[in-house]
């Protein structure tokens, strides 16, 4: 039975909600932290207790999402939850269609959207104290393991041993030259953008470099959305974590994004939320201009990654638009827009674009900062990367913040007797 009420939102008063709003919401706290830390926990078990496999990783993700769904259904699904619910339902229909016409089960996109549904739902019910504690602990753990990695790679590897973990759970055997125990893609190469602080790209608790870079983007979104509500200690911890990531991870994209967020703190509140609908087309057009200027650019640099995505977009299989080439989706893990087309059809891409742009609230200055920074983070990332932003390690806390900010100024109260009931 799913409860759908006329409204699940109202302004809090001291008399009726002070106690619930000030208490820690332990289910949200645990699920939020697990979304960030579960890979690190599994890696510790894999290296120090018993070998694990992909089944253990999938089961862990499934358990986190199942627990989130149970929590959301226990609270009830109200009118304000319908956009996320309908987005997930539409994705389920697309998944059934794609699986049927390709005669193979393909649930990657459904899994990605299910993560979004779960964590926007958790965020919608999360109180401010719980959200702050989640980020406080997450930033502390990321910073702690990042310091371990910078000071002593052997000590860091003795705890989580990334290469063994990815070999056992993903089948990615370490290359012969990789004797460090780090994930091989984190080793970098001569000539890559770097601040020169360490001799590889840092990974911290995420075990690989891309997720750590994107976590820096999540911190930036959290900071500009919640700046006016954060203590000096929380600000200092989040900023210190982001700065150490930026200076050791060699991430050009997140460096650009964080600079945009600093300026965006002042600019975003002046921009209507509807502008987000134009952001994805503008970024794609900008990518096309980069390609026109230097069509032969290749390599793991900003221009090369943009050109890679643009070439794949221009070479798009017409059948892929209708979901008839899902068997090729693995070839586009580094090109987000193409990956989304192949895995979700053009209709899934449109639904995702509309959800990212329209779901976040955009009334107060803080909500506009959150909405604009989310769109910039997602659509910029999809131009130079692929599946990383859909990983629970990143998407969990990202969408938790989006769900929370949607109701930050009008915290939700559970209704014991909703006006309408659908069964």
């Amino acid at each position: 039975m799913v409860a759908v009420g006329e409204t699940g939102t109202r302004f809090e008063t001291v008399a009726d909600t002070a106690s619930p709003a000030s208490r820690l919401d332990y289910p949200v706290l645990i699920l939020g932290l697990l979304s960030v830390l579960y890979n690190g926990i599994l890696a510790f078990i894999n290296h120090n207790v018993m070998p694990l496999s992909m089944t253990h990783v999938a089961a862990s993700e499934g358990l986190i999402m199942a627990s989130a769904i149970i929590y959301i259904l226990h609270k009830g699904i109200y009118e304000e939850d319908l956009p996320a619910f309908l987005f997930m339902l539409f994705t389920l229909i697309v998944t059934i269609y794609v699986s049927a016409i390709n005669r193979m089960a393909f649930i990657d996109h459904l899994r990605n959207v299910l993560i979004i549904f779960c964590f926007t739902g958790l965020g919608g019910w999360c109180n401010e104290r719980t959200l702050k504690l989640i980020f406080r602990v997450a930033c502390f753990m990321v910073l702690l393991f990042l310091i371990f990695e910078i000071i002593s790679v052997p000590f860091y590897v003795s705890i989580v041993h990334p290469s063994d973990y990815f070999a056992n759970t993903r089948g990615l055997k370490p290359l012969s030259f990789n004797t460090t125990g780090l994930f091989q893609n984190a080793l970098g190469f001569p000539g890559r953008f770097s601040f020169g602080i360490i001799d590889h790209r840092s990974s911290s608790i995420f075990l690989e470099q891309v997720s750590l870079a994107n976590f820096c983007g999540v911190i930036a979104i959290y900071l500009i959305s919640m700046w006016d509500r954060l203590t000096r200690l929380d600000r200092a911890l989040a900023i210190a974590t982001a700065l150490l990531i930026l200076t050791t991870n060699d991430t050009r994209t997140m460096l650009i994004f964080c600079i945009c967020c600093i300026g965006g703190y002042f600019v975003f509140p002046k921009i209507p939320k509807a502008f987000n609908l134009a952001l994805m087309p503008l970024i794609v057009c900008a990518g096309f201009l980069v390609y026109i200027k230097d069509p032969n650019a290749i390599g793991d640099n900003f221009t090369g990654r943009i050109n890679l995505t643009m070439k794949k977009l221009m070479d798009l299989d017409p059948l892929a638009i209708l979901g008839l080439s899902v068997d090729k989706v693995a070839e586009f893990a580094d090109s987000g827009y193409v990956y989304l087309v192949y895995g979700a059809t053009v209709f899934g891409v449109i639904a995702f674009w509309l959800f990212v742009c329209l779901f976040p609230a955009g009334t107060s200055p803080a909500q506009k900062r959150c909405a604009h920074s989310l769109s910039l983070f997602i659509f910029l990332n999809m131009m130079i990367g692929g599946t990383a932003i859909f990983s629970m390690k990143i998407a969990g806390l990202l969408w938790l913040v989006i769900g929370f900010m949607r109701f930050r100024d009008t915290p939700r109260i559970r209704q014991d007797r909703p006006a309408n009931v659908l069964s």
Side-chain angles (χ1 to χ4, degrees), residues 375-397:
S375 294
L376 182 61
F377 176 78
I378 294 288
F379 299 136
L380 180 61
N381 238 311
M382 288 175 65
M383 178 58 69
I384 52 84
T387 59
I389 57 171
F390 298 111
S391 166
M392 184 182 290
K393 293 177 287 185
I394 298 306
L397 288 199

Side-chain angles (χ1 to χ4, degrees), residues 107-225:
I107 61 170
D108 281 27
H109 185 57
L110 178 62
R111 172 252 188 192
N112 296 339
V113 173
L114 189 59
I115 291 172
I116 294 173
F117 171 78
C118 288
F119 284 91
T120 53
L122 291 176
W125 291 107
C126 180
N127 61 45
E128 189 170 306
R129 183 184 176 196
T130 301
L131 181 72
K132 289 178 179 178
L133 183 57
I134 290 172
F135 269 87
R136 196 176 301 145
V137 174
C139 286
F140 174 79
M141 292 301 296
V142 170
L143 184 60
L144 179 66
F145 274 79
L146 188 51
I147 292 172
F148 288 162
E149 184 180 359
I150 293 169
I151 294 175
S152 174
V153 169
F155 177 68
Y156 168 75
V157 169
S158 72
I159 302 174
V160 290
H161 210 296
S163 66
D164 276 1
Y165 178 71
F166 285 108
N168 289 347
T169 63
R170 307 297 197 280
L172 301 173
K173 301 296 182 182
L175 299 175
S176 58
F177 62 81
N178 181 16
T179 59
T180 63
L182 298 170
F183 181 50
Q184 57 205 27
N185 290 357
L187 298 182
F189 53 85
R192 182 185 169 88
F193 165 80
S194 173
F195 286 99
I197 295 177
I198 56 176
D199 60 359
H200 64 278
R201 298 186 64 191
S202 57
S203 303
S204 185
I205 200 72
F206 298 103
L207 314 176
E208 46 82 18
Q209 74 288 352
V210 177
S211 291
L212 179 61
N214 283 319
F215 182 71
C216 182
V218 175
I219 292 176
I221 293 172
Y222 171 70
L223 281 173
I224 70 168
S225 301

Side-chain angles (χ1 to χ4, degrees), residues 25 52 62 75 87 109 186 221 228 242 255 260 272 287 339 390 392:
D25 192 329
L52 301 180
K75 289 289 189 179
F87 179 42
H109 185 57
I221 293 172
D228 60 329
L255 181 60
C260 289
Y339 167 82
F390 298 111
M392 184 182 290

